[in-house]
Amino acid sequence: MIVRKAEQRIAELLKPVAGEDARTEAVFLLRASGFHSPYQEITETDAKALEPLIERRLSGEPLQYVLGEWEFYGLPFYVDRTVLIPRPDTERLVETALPLLSESKRDVLDLCCGSGCIGVTLAVCGGANVTAADVSADALAMTERNARRNGVSVQTVQSDLFDSVEGAFDLIVCNPPYLTREEMDARDASLRFEPALALFGGEDGLDFYRRIASDYPRFLKPGGTLLIEIGMTQKDAVGAMFERCECIDDYGGRPRVIAVRNDD
Ligand code: GLN
């Protein structure tokens, strides 16, 4: 059978979970298994090897975990169920962060680093000198793998928010857990595969912002900036925690990043 035919068959199987993305997902699965060309022959044995991946996807596991990697800001990142899947929403935070970096302002703390997608991208695209912190040892190991994969090195520290972080930074970036209890209870099947530790922000979703707002000043250099991702409805609540801050919208006009500048 040729790859194109296999693509059709896999797409048919994936329809119940992937809907109209079934064909694209079939292409991704085939490519991840080394089949790039539509007219390449695929043997029965090769097709068999794809079955466990298809089964995992059919059980509702997100494609990104099944593939074991995903792209963020045009860079490849390993992912598994110990870390959140990098989301396009978070690219807005990276876009906001990059112009703030310079030769003299390159010390960056990526708090709640997860897969490391924010910090590693800032190291690759902005020459940042990155410290990546997370409470999860698995996340830190993944960040290190992703740094290596992208040809940079980052310093990792196991820390519950700022608790074990040392030093001061020009830029602190953070995508904390921010879902409310209600959102957690209502989360859809795919979110159930992601680590609750990385999603749940306390009853009202704001626990991490409260702690960040009280602790960040000690870790920010004069002239530095704190950039935090927020949920779409959290602008007012998080904004109220900081004396002066600015909110940056995503391309759909939804508020997604809070920027707090520390004046010189
Ligand atoms: N953006 C994620 C979601 O809504 C949540 C990520 C987070 O809690 N940091 O699914």
Side-chain angles (χ1 to χ4, degrees):
M1 177 175 24
I2 58 166
V3 166
R4 171 129 308 157
K5 187 84 199 149
E7 212 175 278
Q8 270 167 10
R9 293 216 176 143
I10 296 171
E12 217 36 65
L13 291 170
L14 293 182
K15 269 228 174 86
V17 285
E20 59 186 31
D21 293 333
R23 187 71 185 235
T24 318
E25 292 205 4
V27 173
F28 268 102
L29 283 174
L30 281 159
R31 287 198 184 152
S33 309
F35 298 102
H36 293 268
S37 155
Y39 300 105
Q40 200 175 344
E41 269 301 318
I42 174 164
T43 65
E44 277 304 312
T45 325
D46 293 331
K48 269 256 170 292
L50 278 160
E51 278 173 14
L53 303 184
I54 297 167
E55 285 305 318
R56 282 173 63 190
R57 183 64 189 107
L58 283 176
S59 79
E61 187 170 351
L63 178 71
Q64 294 90 335
Y65 288 150
V66 176
L67 296 172
E69 59 179 46
W70 199 240
E71 207 173 85
F72 177 81
Y73 214 78
L75 300 174
F77 286 88
Y78 295 116
V79 287
D80 68 16
R81 289 169 64 172
T82 63
V83 295
L84 275 196
I85 296 164
R87 289 160 163 73
D89 316 39
T90 306
E91 292 179 344
R92 194 75 186 109
L93 191 151
V94 167
E95 277 176 350
T96 310
L98 281 171
L100 302 174
L101 296 171
S102 65
E103 206 45 56
S104 60
K105 286 191 172 193
R106 48 193 296 270
D107 291 332
V108 173
L109 173 65
D110 179 1
L111 208 53
C112 310
C113 61
S115 65
C117 65
I118 302 174
V120 169
T121 304
L122 295 179
V124 174
C125 302
N129 172 29
V130 177
T131 301
D134 204 289
V135 73
S136 152
D138 289 334
L140 294 171
M142 190 61 88
T143 290
E144 277 166 11
R145 275 183 78 196
N146 280 324
R148 276 197 300 279
R149 171 142 195 207
N150 285 287
V152 292
S153 66
V154 303
Q155 200 188 321
T156 52
V157 49
Q158 188 165 15
S159 179
D160 184 4
L161 283 178
F162 290 104
D163 289 357
S164 306
V165 172
E166 281 172 12
F169 303 87
D170 299 301
L171 183 63
I172 300 172
V173 288
C174 182
N175 176 17
Y178 55 65
L179 298 192
T180 63
R181 165 80 61 198
E182 212 175 308
E183 287 167 335
M184 287 299 284
D185 291 344
R187 72 193 192 278
D188 66 20
S190 73
L191 271 179
R192 287 183 191 276
F193 283 85
E194 297 195 81
L197 185 69
L199 289 169
F200 183 48
E203 290 304 316
D204 65 355
L206 300 171
D207 283 1
F208 291 83
Y209 299 112
R210 289 190 192 91
R211 288 179 57 196
I212 293 168
S214 87
D215 293 348
Y216 86 92
R218 278 193 294 132
F219 298 92
L220 202 56
K221 291 187 193 174
T225 305
L226 166 71
L227 290 180
I228 40 183
E229 179 170 313
I230 54 166
M232 285 181 263
T233 60
Q234 294 172 323
K235 175 183 171 182
D236 293 341
V238 178
M241 295 178 195
F242 300 94
E243 249 173 57
R244 264 168 308 134
C245 65
E246 192 189 326
C247 185
I248 294 123
D249 291 348
D250 66 17
Y251 292 111
R254 294 168 298 233
R256 292 317 300 271
V257 176
I258 293 276
V260 185
R261 273 172 240 286
N262 190 4
D263 288 334
D264 288 289

